[in-house]
C-alpha cells in the first residue's frame, strides 16, 4: 500500500513544476511516506522542522477563525505548504516561484489515500 | 481593494452563455471566482497556461480553448494575471 502511495506521490511531483518533495508524516514529524527529489533542502526534511507545524496549527486554531487547515510559509528560495490532516501532516516543499494554487489542489487527490494511513498512525499512538 | 476586479467579474457574468469565471495570480492563488468556476481550479488554470506558453516562449501568451460536449473554457494570461471563463456551447 505504501509503495503504491509513494509511486503516486512521485507521479504528482512530476506534474507540478518546481515541487521538490511531498512528505506524509505524523504530527511529531516521523515520516510515514515520503517522495523526495534531489533538489529538496535536507534541513527541511528533518522531524524537528516538520513537527513545528503541529504547534503552529494548534496556535492558529485559537485565532477564532475555526480549525486551521493549511499553513503556507514563503522563504527566499523555497515555499513550504503544510496541511493539517491529523493525526497526519502533509508537507510540500517547492521552489519560491512554484505554483502554490496547484499544490493546494493536490490535497483532494491525496486525501482518499489518507483514511487508512490515519487509522494506522492513530492506532500506533494509542499503543505507545 | 478588489472592487475593480469584482466589477469586471460582474460584467463577464452578464455576458450570454457565461456560467462562471475565475482569476488567479502568478502563484496560482485565486483572486476572484464566480458561478461554476471553483476556487480550487485556480492553480490548475495557471499551470495549463504556463505549459501552453512554453510552446512558443517568444510570443505573447496564447488563449487556450478547452471544449467538452456542452461546455467550453477559455484561458487567457495577461501579465501575472490568468483569467478563465466557463461557457455553455449552445
Amino acid at each position: 500500500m505504501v509503495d503504491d502511495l509513494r509511486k503516486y506521490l512521485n507521479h504528482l511531483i512530476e506534474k507540478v513544476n518546481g515541487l521538490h518533495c511531498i512528505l506524509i508524516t505524523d504530527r511529531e514529524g516521523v515520516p510515514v511516506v515520503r517522495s523526495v527529489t534531489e533538489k529538496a533542502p535536507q534541513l527541511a526534511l528533518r522531524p524537528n522542522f516538520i513537527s513545528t507545524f503541529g504547534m503552529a496549527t494548534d496556535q492558529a486554531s485559537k485565532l477564532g477563525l475555526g480549525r486551521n487547515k493549511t499553513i503556507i510559509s514563503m522563504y527566499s528560495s523555497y515555499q513550504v505548504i503544510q496541511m493539517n490532516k491529523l493525526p497526519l501532516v502533509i508537507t510540500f516543499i517547492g521552489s519560491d516561484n512554484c505554483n502554490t494554487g496547484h499544490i493546494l489542489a493536490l490535497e483532494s487527490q491525496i486525501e482518499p489515500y489518507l483514511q487508512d494511513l490515519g487509522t494506522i498512525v492513530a492506532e500506533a499512538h494509542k499503543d505507545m | 481593494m478588489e472592487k475593480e476586479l469584482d466589477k469586471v467579474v460582474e460584467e463577464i457574468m452578464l455576458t450570454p452563455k457565461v456560467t462562471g469565471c475565475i482569476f488567479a495570480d502568478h502563484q496560482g492563488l485565486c483572486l476572484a471566482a464566480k458561478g461554476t468556476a471553483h476556487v480550487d481550479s485556480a492553480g490548475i488554470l495557471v499551470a495549463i497556461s504556463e505549459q501552453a506558453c512554453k510552446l512558443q516562449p517568444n510570443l505573447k501568451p496564447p488563449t487556450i480553448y478547452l471544449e467538452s460536449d456542452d461546455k467550453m473554457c477559455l484561458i487567457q494570461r495577461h501579465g501575472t494575471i490568468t483569467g478563465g471563463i466557463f461557457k455553455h456551447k449552445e
Side-chain angles (χ1 to χ4, degrees):
Chain A
M1 185 181 95
V2 172
D3 275 342
D4 288 344
L5 182 55
R6 191 178 299 117
K7 271 184 205 160
Y8 183 61
L9 295 183
N10 284 333
H11 165 71
L12 288 181
I13 283 186
E14 282 169 20
K15 283 215 292 193
V16 182
N17 264 347
L19 180 59
H20 300 324
C21 73
I22 305 175
L23 308 167
I24 299 175
T25 63
D26 69 357
R27 65 172 293 150
E28 276 84 41
V30 179
V32 179
V33 189
R34 49 185 264 171
S35 169
V36 182
T37 66
E38 68 278 4
K39 282 183 183 169
Q42 291 305 309
L43 277 174
L45 305 178
R46 289 162 61 161
N48 55 5
F49 174 82
I50 296 163
S51 62
T52 52
F53 172 78
M55 286 179 280
T57 192
D58 284 345
Q59 295 304 319
S61 297
K62 294 175 188 169
L63 290 170
L65 299 167
R67 191 178 68 92
N68 175 252
K69 292 201 291 191
T70 308
I71 295 180
I72 303 169
S73 314
M74 301 297 292
Y75 297 92
S76 53
S77 46
Y78 294 104
Q79 60 176 289
V80 180
I81 297 165
Q82 291 179 296
M83 292 173 183
N84 179 2
K85 296 280 169 199
L86 290 174
L88 296 169
V89 171
I90 314 176
T91 306
F92 299 89
I93 302 172
S95 59
D96 60 327
N97 55 0
C98 179
N99 187 334
T100 316
H102 200 178
I103 295 175
L104 292 172
L106 294 181
E107 179 183 6
S108 59
Q109 295 179 51
I110 296 179
E111 201 146 37
Y113 295 91
L114 297 181
Q115 187 71 49
D116 293 341
L117 274 185
T119 315
I120 294 164
V121 170
E123 286 292 322
H125 276 268
K126 227 185 278 173
D127 296 339
M128 277 163 73
Chain B
M1 197 176 81
E2 57 272 11
K3 255 185 191 164
E4 289 294 316
L5 184 60
D6 285 340
K7 222 164 81 183
V8 174
V9 170
E10 292 293 341
E11 258 174 55
I12 292 169
M13 289 303 290
L14 289 175
T15 314
K17 292 179 193 167
V18 169
T19 59
C21 81
I22 182 164
F23 289 94
D25 70 0
H26 66 289
Q27 293 240 276
L29 298 173
C30 184
L31 299 171
K34 193 142 196 181
T36 52
H38 198 272
V39 175
D40 290 347
S41 53
I44 292 159
L45 206 79
V46 175
I48 291 171
S49 140
E50 266 171 14
Q51 294 300 326
C53 285
K54 285 180 189 167
L55 290 171
Q56 289 174 309
N58 301 322
L59 297 181
K60 66 172 195 164
T63 302
I64 302 145
Y65 174 74
L66 304 170
E67 187 183 5
S68 70
D69 284 344
D70 55 347
K71 288 180 195 135
M72 56 190 249
C73 174
L74 288 156
I75 302 168
Q76 166 79 281
R77 186 177 189 158
H78 192 87
T80 59
I81 309 283
T82 305
I85 296 176
F86 296 79
K87 286 177 85 174
H88 271 304
K89 265 167 89 175
E90 293 304 324

